[in-house]
Amino acid sequence: MNARSDIKEIKNAIRAVGLRATPARVATLRLLRQATSPMTHGEVAAELDENGVDKATAFRNLNDMADAGLLRRAELGDHLYRFEELRDGEGEHDLHPHFLCVDCGSVTCLEEVKLTVGSRKASEQVGEVSEILLRGRCNNCQ
Amino acid sequence: MNARSDIKEIKNAIRAVGLRATPARVATLRLLRQATSPMTHGEVAAELDENGVDKATAFRNLNDMADAGLLRRAELGDHLYRFEELRDGEGEHDLHPHFLCVDCGSVTCLEEVKLTVGSRKASEQVGEVSEILLRGRCNNCQ
DNA sequence: TAGCATATACAATCTAATTGCAAATGCAAA
DNA sequence: TTTGCATTTGCAATTAGATTGTATATGCTA
Ligand SMILES: [Mn+2]
Ligand SMILES: [Mn+2]
Ligand SMILES: [Zn+2]
Ligand SMILES: [Zn+2]
């Protein structure tokens, strides 16, 4: 509810995956929880810079938390990494798709998007699909 | 049929989009026509390097031919650009999806993959989808 | 609260991609 | 065929995102 208990919860989440709950990591996860779409390393690093956190530290923390299974590191086809917290119970599989606007770079999480049965069969002949990405132009950019 | 007439045809294709048919460009398009999947800038540049073509030239040519509508510059979510010749009549829209193996980086062109009707509706609320990308692990990498 | 593995700051490094510019060249017009 | 000139090229420098090395600082457990 309040900021104090939020931070408690954030520290717990970080420790639960075997990492130390440092100020930089708490600030990172708090940022990502406030965000409505995945944030780039640059965006996260810029925010944490105001707290005196180095960008190498910011990036290492994002990668480490992703490796630990707390975050998802998404590559959306614009040569930037983006990070979002994994929903409770969302594993490496059943990751939700994203939409990236190639004009403005905005990202939308798409919970319900799926392939047709035929498409799923066709793609499974090639390999095991773990991620679906849509690209195009968002409504603001039409 | 033979190499001679192939090269004629390649030169024609390059000139048809308003560009000069230089040796570097002919070699580039010939490479892409032989390839079975889109090639990265690095792959193209490495081949052309043997002909004494500079990588900046290779990249400029790939970008210029893509801007001219002769090639497609695809971003498949691994921070590399890949290039493939546009099929005859394949415009900016109706581009076929790709599958990228996150392990070995291999790419497969998927002609038939589509979204379910519901998914298409859901994604159109966000914007106009022009590209679909699947990521996962190919059969070789399971 | 002491000990130590983990995490941090700061600087250096890596790779893909791009740019500036003078010299070279494709090609259309003469 | 030759000429004129815009386009293209080679080469070197640069940019930007991401990563790494390392000495110091700190979270956390005992
Ligand atoms: Mn998301
Ligand atoms: Mn393709
Ligand atoms: Zn947009
Ligand atoms: Zn593979």
Side-chain angles (χ1 to χ4, degrees):
Chain A
M1 271 332 187
N2 58 57
R4 196 176 311 266
S5 66
D6 281 357
I7 291 186
K8 272 253 155 71
E9 213 287 302
I10 287 175
K11 287 188 174 182
N12 286 342
I14 294 171
R15 292 184 180 126
V17 298
L19 296 174
R20 290 185 180 174
T22 65
R25 285 182 183 149
V26 171
T28 299
L29 191 51
R30 206 156 70 98
L31 253 185
L32 293 180
R33 285 189 176 185
Q34 287 169 355
T36 59
S37 62
M39 295 179 70
T40 64
H41 160 244
E43 289 165 350
V44 173
E47 291 280 349
L48 298 198
D49 182 59
E50 297 170 12
N51 308 14
V53 177
D54 188 74
K55 76 178 156 63
T57 299
F59 211 144
R60 270 196 273 236
N61 281 338
L62 287 166
N63 283 338
D64 290 347
M65 289 192 281
D67 289 344
L70 187 56
L71 306 183
R72 170 189 189 184
R73 171 163 125 162
E75 307 185 69
L76 306 186
D78 63 350
H79 296 201
L80 297 175
Y81 291 122
R82 283 184 175 77
F83 296 86
E84 65 185 346
E85 188 174 11
L86 278 179
R87 319 282 163 104
D88 225 16
E90 190 179 49
E92 306 231 351
H93 302 284
D94 61 80
L95 292 173
H96 61 269
H98 288 112
F99 175 91
L100 171 76
C101 175
V102 296
D103 257 31
C104 69
S106 67
V107 175
T108 313
C109 303
L110 302 169
E111 301 300 333
E112 299 304 340
V113 165
K114 295 193 168 50
L115 300 179
T116 64
V117 176
S119 293
R120 212 161 49 237
K121 277 187 194 159
S123 56
E124 273 163 9
Q125 305 216 328
V126 173
E128 186 184 316
V129 175
S130 60
E131 218 177 322
I132 299 175
L133 171 60
L134 308 183
R135 293 161 48 86
R137 300 178 67 198
C138 77
N139 289 329
N140 284 336
C141 294
Q142 296 293 347
Chain B
M1 273 324 187
N2 58 55
R4 195 176 314 265
S5 66
D6 280 357
I7 291 186
K8 272 250 157 71
E9 213 287 300
I10 286 175
K11 287 188 174 181
N12 286 341
I14 293 171
R15 292 185 180 125
V17 296
L19 296 174
R20 290 186 181 172
T22 66
R25 286 183 181 149
V26 171
T28 300
L29 191 50
R30 207 157 69 97
L31 252 186
L32 293 180
R33 287 190 175 183
Q34 288 167 355
T36 58
S37 62
M39 295 178 72
T40 65
H41 162 244
E43 289 166 348
V44 172
E47 291 279 348
L48 298 198
D49 182 58
E50 297 171 11
N51 307 15
V53 176
D54 188 74
K55 78 178 155 62
T57 300
F59 211 147
R60 272 194 274 233
N61 282 338
L62 288 166
N63 283 339
D64 290 347
M65 289 192 282
D67 289 344
L70 186 55
L71 306 182
R72 170 189 189 185
R73 171 163 125 162
E75 307 185 69
L76 306 186
D78 63 350
H79 296 202
L80 298 175
Y81 292 121
R82 282 185 175 76
F83 296 86
E84 66 184 344
E85 189 174 12
L86 277 180
R87 318 282 162 104
D88 226 14
E90 190 179 47
E92 306 231 351
H93 303 283
D94 61 81
L95 293 171
H96 59 269
H98 287 113
F99 174 91
L100 170 76
C101 176
V102 297
D103 257 32
C104 68
S106 67
V107 175
T108 313
C109 303
L110 302 169
E111 302 299 334
E112 300 305 338
V113 165
K114 294 190 169 50
L115 301 178
T116 65
V117 177
S119 295
R120 213 163 46 238
K121 278 187 193 157
S123 55
E124 272 162 12
Q125 304 217 328
V126 173
E128 186 184 316
V129 175
S130 61
E131 220 179 317
I132 299 175
L133 171 60
L134 307 183
R135 293 161 47 86
R137 302 179 66 196
C138 77
N139 290 330
N140 285 336
C141 294
Q142 298 291 350

